Amino acid sequence: STRAPERGCFCFANSAGMVFGISLFGAGSTEEAQKTNAKDALREWQRQLRGEVRQMERNIRTIEREEEKIKRDIKAMAAKGGDPKSIQMLAKSVVRSNKAKGRLYNARASMVAAANELQAQAATMRLSDAMKSSAEIMAQMNAVVNIPETHEAMASMRQEMMRAGLIDEMIDEGMADLDGPDMEEEAQDEVDKVLEDLAVDAAVRLAVTRPE
């Protein structure tokens, strides 16, 4: 049978789904072993963040492919005098995908910055060093935790970093409401810009953005 991890053991899943633990605070650990494992934890977090960055890049490419298909559909519908409401819905989808890409690019930048900081700390950590609190990593992790697309994975990692003393305890500010009335109004304002960029006829744009 598989033994449950000790309190203070960080369990990580690799790409094959296998789980292993890094024990920082186990009762049987010597001070030297704890410090060695602290360095291992920094490297493991760095590896996980690099993996998240690669996934983020795949997600961005998927969004871009879908966005291009929607744009082709908009142009085809507009050329045939299609239903303005249907064209408007598709244009709003482009607006939302652009916002999603922006969030993912921001998350990617924060993850890369955090991974680089982890690498720097691990590289300079001597056997006698304990894990040091990092304001830079804390700022980057808080940024990605508040992004809906990365919240689940990053909230778990941030909690592990708090327990290890790498970052300070933070009150979760929560995620922004992406579908509130202000966002809806903003999307409406950007629909015409999408249609203009696609060279949709002015009369069609008017019917879409200012229906009678």
Side-chain angles (χ1 to χ4, degrees):
S1 61
T2 303
R3 183 173 61 87
E6 298 177 357
R7 185 175 183 272
C9 175
F10 295 151
C11 293
F12 303 104
N14 64 14
S15 58
M18 298 176 64
V19 177
F20 60 96
I22 296 176
S23 176
L24 296 183
F25 313 116
S29 297
T30 64
E31 182 179 356
E32 180 178 303
Q34 288 179 22
K35 289 172 180 176
T36 301
N37 288 343
K39 189 167 186 173
D40 289 340
L42 292 174
R43 288 173 171 165
E44 176 58 23
W45 287 325
Q46 179 195 357
R47 186 195 68 79
Q48 287 188 332
L49 284 169
R50 300 290 189 202
E52 289 291 337
V53 167
R54 290 191 294 272
Q55 182 60 50
M56 202 69 54
E57 291 168 347
R58 288 192 289 270
N59 291 344
I60 289 170
R61 288 194 294 270
T62 298
I63 290 173
E64 288 175 338
R65 286 194 296 270
E66 290 298 317
E67 188 176 300
E68 287 304 312
K69 179 180 182 300
I70 293 171
K71 287 179 178 180
R72 290 194 297 270
D73 290 343
I74 289 173
K75 294 178 75 171
M77 289 179 66
K80 296 177 181 177
D83 176 45
K85 286 188 178 297
S86 297
I87 295 173
Q88 183 188 59
M89 287 179 61
L90 290 175
K92 284 183 179 180
S93 295
V94 174
V95 171
R96 292 191 179 97
S97 70
N98 280 331
K99 292 182 185 299
K101 279 195 303 181
R103 290 193 300 272
L104 294 181
Y105 276 120
N106 288 338
R108 180 188 181 281
S110 293
M111 288 178 184
V112 169
N116 289 341
E117 188 70 16
L118 288 166
Q119 181 179 21
Q121 187 172 149
T124 57
M125 181 181 284
R126 298 168 301 180
L127 184 60
S128 60
D129 292 337
M131 193 176 294
K132 298 177 182 177
S133 177
S134 170
E136 172 66 19
I137 294 174
M138 183 169 68
Q140 303 299 346
M141 292 301 294
N142 287 338
V144 294
V145 162
N146 290 326
I147 296 175
E149 290 86 352
T150 59
H151 175 77
E152 185 174 354
M154 292 300 99
S156 176
M157 189 183 297
R158 185 179 68 168
Q159 189 66 27
E160 293 169 355
M161 291 178 175
M162 287 178 185
R163 291 170 57 199
L166 178 64
I167 62 178
D168 295 333
E169 291 281 348
M170 292 290 295
I171 298 174
D172 203 331
E173 298 176 355
M175 293 174 289
D177 182 4
L178 301 182
D179 297 312
D182 291 342
M183 296 298 292
E184 181 66 21
E185 183 177 345
E186 186 178 344
Q188 288 273 21
D189 293 341
E190 295 177 20
V191 163
D192 188 55
K193 181 66 168 59
V194 170
L195 299 178
E196 182 181 9
D197 291 343
L198 294 174
V200 171
D201 182 78
V204 175
R205 284 166 46 199
L206 188 64
V208 170
T209 57
R210 296 177 179 84
E212 296 180 358

